[in-house]
Amino acid sequence: MNDILEARDCQPPENVPADYCGKLKSGIARLEAAIQSQYEALYPTGRDLIARAVREAEEASWATPFPSLFFPALAHLKVSEMMPSA
């Protein structure tokens, strides 16, 4: 679990605004809610699996240099793996 928390520590590139990390984390949180809501509307009985898939995708995205870029694709991939009809 500590590795995940450390991965979520934002490492901003040089010459970015001071609020870069806050905006990045906020943007990913909004994406997470939107993607989860989208799939839950389609598959209401799969709520727990969808939440887990989206959470795992968010955690994995922080291990990349561009979490906001990778998160949506990883989330869709994880949901489709857990919910074969997705």
Side-chain angles (χ1 to χ4, degrees):
M1 185 72 166
N2 286 340
D3 293 336
I4 293 167
L5 294 176
E6 288 176 20
R8 289 185 185 165
D9 289 340
C10 180
Q11 300 296 322
E14 291 182 33
N15 302 320
V16 296
D19 61 349
Y20 172 85
C21 289
K23 286 184 175 183
L24 178 63
K25 291 176 182 181
S26 174
I28 289 175
R30 286 193 312 272
L31 275 171
E32 182 177 4
I35 291 169
Q36 187 166 337
S37 171
Q38 173 190 3
Y39 280 110
E40 287 176 353
L42 291 171
Y43 309 102
T45 59
R47 260 197 151 102
D48 292 337
L49 285 176
I50 292 165
R52 189 172 112 209
V54 172
R55 188 175 49 253
E56 287 177 6
E58 193 254 344
E59 290 168 359
S61 72
W62 282 103
T64 72
F66 303 103
S68 60
L69 177 65
F70 286 96
F71 171 67
L74 289 171
H76 292 298
L77 178 65
K78 286 279 192 185
V79 170
S80 68
E81 287 175 348
M82 289 189 181
M83 306 282 298
S85 59

